[in-house]
C-alpha cells in the first residue's frame, strides 16, 4: 500500500466524505479588479490575467483594484465560460468579468482543490456561466488535511519533475 492509502485507512476508516465544490470553495466576482486601460507595457509591474491559455495578457501601471494574491493568500482564477483555471500567488488585475476568483474554506486546501480540478478535466463549448450552474455542484473527496497535504506534495513534485523533463526534452530538439 502507498503512504496515502495507509493514511486514508488510518484516518478515514469509514471512508472519505464527498462535498460539493460550492460548499468548500468561495467565489468572488472580479468586477473591482478589472483593468481600466488596455495600454499594457512590459515596463509596468502588475500583470493583467485571464484564466485562458494566454494567462498573462500584459502589464498595467494601475494601482487601484489589485487582487493581492500571494503564497500565503493564493487564488484560483476560473474562466466562467470555458472552465479553464489557473493558480495565482502574486498580485494581479483581470481583463474581464468572465471569471471567478476561488478560495477555499478551512477544511480544504486550495492547492488540493486546484489539483482535483485538473483531474476532472472538464471544459465546455456552451456559452453559459459554469461555476454556479455546473462546477459548484461537482463533488470533491474531502479527506483530513494531513492527507490533502500529502496528496498536494506528491502532485506538486510530479508537476515539477514533469516541467523539468519537458524543458530538457524541448532543449534537445
Amino acid at each position: 500500500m502507498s503512504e496515502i492509502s495507509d493514511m486514508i485507512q488510518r484516518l478515514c476508516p469509514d471512508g472519505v466524505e464527498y462535498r460539493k465544490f460550492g460548499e468548500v470553495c468561495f467565489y468572488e466576482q472580479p468586477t473591482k479588479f478589472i483593468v481600466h486601460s488596455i495600454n499594457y507595457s512590459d515596463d509596468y509591474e502588475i500583470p493583467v490575467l485571464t484564466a485562458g491559455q494566454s494567462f498573462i495578457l500584459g502589464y498595467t501601471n494601475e494601482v487601484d483594484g489589485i487582487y493581492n494574491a500571494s503564497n500565503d493568500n493564493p487564488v484560483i482564477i476560473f474562466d466562467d465560460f470555458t472552465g479553464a483555471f489557473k493558480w495565482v500567488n502574486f498580485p494581479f488585475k483581470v481583463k474581464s468579468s468572465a471569471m471567478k476568483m476561488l478560495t477555499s474554506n478551512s477544511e480544504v486546501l486550495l492547492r488540493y482543490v486546484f489539483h482535483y480540478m485538473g483531474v476532472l478535466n472538464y471544459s465546455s463549448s456552451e456559452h453559459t456561466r459554469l461555476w454556479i450552474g455546473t462546477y459548484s455542484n461537482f463533488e470533491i473527496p474531502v479527506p483530513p488535511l494531513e492527507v490533502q497535504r500529502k496528496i498536494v506534495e506528491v502532485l506538486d513534485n510530479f508537476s515539477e519533475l514533469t516541467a523539468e523533463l519537458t524543458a530538457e526534452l524541448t532543449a534537445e530538439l
Side-chain angles (χ1 to χ4, degrees):
M1 258 192 189
S2 74
E3 183 177 355
I4 293 173
S5 296
D6 290 344
M7 290 173 76
I8 290 173
Q9 285 283 359
R10 182 172 43 86
L11 298 171
C12 313
D14 297 327
V16 174
E17 177 186 10
Y18 279 72
R19 304 274 305 277
K20 290 182 178 181
F21 273 105
E23 295 173 1
V24 298
C25 290
F26 306 107
Y27 74 88
E28 184 174 1
Q29 298 285 29
T31 309
K32 61 186 174 186
F33 308 109
I34 295 174
V35 70
H36 298 289
S37 170
I38 58 170
N39 293 324
Y40 305 141
S41 171
D42 289 341
D43 294 332
Y44 301 148
E45 292 184 25
I46 302 298
V48 179
L49 306 182
T50 177
Q53 194 170 14
S54 54
F55 188 42
I56 297 178
L57 298 173
Y59 296 85
T60 183
N61 61 351
E62 295 178 20
V63 295
D64 293 328
I66 295 171
Y67 192 103
N68 284 309
S70 66
N71 286 332
D72 293 332
N73 186 38
V75 65
I76 297 170
I77 57 173
F78 177 85
D79 185 310
D80 216 8
F81 290 112
T82 67
F85 58 94
K86 303 286 188 200
W87 179 261
V88 185
N89 58 357
F90 51 84
F92 65 94
K93 290 188 69 83
V94 299
K95 171 80 167 68
S96 79
S97 63
M99 70 168 65
K100 302 274 191 279
M101 272 84 83
L102 306 178
T103 55
S104 63
N105 68 21
S106 59
E107 31 177 338
V108 180
L109 299 173
L110 188 62
R111 189 70 178 172
Y112 174 77
V113 169
F114 175 78
H115 282 300
Y116 195 79
M117 288 170 74
V119 170
L120 288 176
N121 200 25
Y122 179 82
S123 65
S124 175
S125 59
E126 297 177 27
H127 194 71
T128 60
R129 296 281 185 168
L130 294 174
W131 179 257
I132 293 172
T134 303
Y135 226 94
S136 65
N137 293 309
F138 289 151
E139 291 191 333
I140 180 172
V142 183
L145 289 173
E146 181 180 345
V147 176
Q148 292 178 44
R149 280 187 198 91
K150 186 63 182 174
I151 291 169
V152 166
E153 177 187 327
V154 168
L155 293 175
D156 280 348
N157 287 338
F158 180 75
S159 296
E160 185 178 322
L161 291 172
T162 301
E164 289 174 10
L165 181 58
T166 301
E168 283 183 36
L169 290 172
T170 304
E172 290 182 16
L173 295 178

